[in-house]
Amino acid sequence: TGLKSGMDGLKAIETDRFAKARGLGAVRFDYFGHGASSGAFEEGTISRWLDNALQVFDDVTQGPQILVGSSMGGWIALLMALARPARVKGLVLIAPAPDFTEVIKAGLSDEAKALFDAGKPWPRPSAYDDGPYMITRSLLEDGEKHLLLQGPINIQKPVRILHGMRDEDVDPKQSLTLVDRLVGRDVTLTYLKDGDHRLSDEAGLKALVQALESILTS
């Protein structure tokens, strides 16, 4: 799931439905400070959320897995695939946002910097009902430990990337950069002309199912 999104979102539910229809298991979970999980969102970092994901992965799943990640979840999924390459069958990434902390840092206002200097979070505006995002300096600084787009990404498994061309949160062109950085050859990028960031409409969910089927049969 993405930043401040929960496991009850339409894409997560559609993935669960896809798995059950084929007699497969699926695992949905909320990161620390998200959805039904405990903790304050402002105390979360990429390291902490990655640890959450790996703990669920190690404790709950068995055998090869398809990792599905949307927005920030795409970044987490990529990091998981690097950490557990033998356990990953493939990845489906929806409007993936690796290194998004660097994008936020580059656009920080003087007001945001002043809040950080005072030890306070910055309420980053959001176009969604779950905003604003309370961004902290620790989140941005921790993100530096997990940057991926600066060099090759050594993932050799099939990767399917979906991105809406009307995405106003993650630049659709960034997915082209991600394709270029991935060293594996079985990588496809599908743009949905009228798709927004969330890709939770009928076309987006259909593309998700097609991507999952592609990985399952690869």
Side-chain angles (χ1 to χ4, degrees):
T1 58
L3 195 69
K4 286 198 73 180
S5 297
M7 61 180 174
D8 57 351
L10 292 175
K11 295 186 293 294
I13 292 172
E14 186 65 26
T15 301
D16 198 15
R17 184 182 296 119
F18 172 89
K20 288 180 178 178
R22 289 155 181 78
L24 302 173
V27 178
R28 294 181 280 153
F29 70 95
D30 286 332
Y31 302 115
F32 173 92
H34 287 66
S37 291
S38 62
F41 173 83
E42 295 81 28
E43 296 176 8
T45 61
I46 300 302
S47 292
R48 189 166 203 167
W49 294 325
L50 174 60
D51 286 345
N52 292 163
L54 289 173
Q55 183 175 359
V56 171
F57 190 71
D58 293 340
D59 293 350
V60 178
T61 71
Q62 296 180 346
Q65 301 292 311
I66 300 175
L67 303 179
V68 183
S70 175
S71 195
M72 182 188 76
W75 189 3
I76 298 293
L78 289 163
L79 294 170
M80 291 176 67
L82 291 169
R84 304 286 190 273
R87 292 282 322 281
V88 175
K89 179 175 177 60
L91 298 89
V92 176
L93 310 176
I94 306 153
D99 304 7
F100 78 84
T101 50
E102 293 297 288
V103 177
I104 292 176
K105 281 167 56 179
L108 284 177
S109 65
D110 290 340
E111 176 191 3
K113 294 175 182 177
L115 287 170
F116 288 163
D117 289 342
K120 299 178 180 179
W122 166 51
R124 184 172 187 251
S126 168
Y128 308 108
D129 293 338
D130 52 5
Y133 302 136
M134 302 304 290
I135 303 299
T136 63
R137 173 174 279 167
S138 60
L139 170 63
L140 302 186
E141 291 179 346
D142 178 80
E144 296 174 5
K145 304 174 185 177
H146 303 287
L147 301 180
L148 295 176
L149 297 179
Q150 298 175 339
I153 303 173
N154 188 27
I155 294 175
Q156 302 283 351
K157 303 301 173 68
V159 181
R160 304 291 178 260
I161 303 170
L162 309 175
H163 211 136
M165 294 186 70
R166 298 184 185 276
D167 190 337
E168 296 182 356
D169 294 290
V170 178
D171 188 345
K173 294 179 182 178
Q174 181 171 286
S175 283
L176 287 172
T177 302
L178 176 57
V179 170
D180 183 62
R181 297 292 188 267
L182 287 163
V183 302
R185 306 306 301 173
D186 188 3
V187 178
T188 64
L189 167 59
T190 301
Y191 280 121
L192 282 76
K193 184 174 182 179
D194 294 323
D196 60 10
H197 180 60
R198 292 195 166 182
L199 288 183
S200 293
D201 60 1
E202 182 178 353
L205 296 178
K206 181 179 178 180
L208 169 59
V209 167
Q210 292 173 339
L212 288 166
E213 192 70 55
S214 174
I215 295 291
L216 193 61
T217 57
S218 63

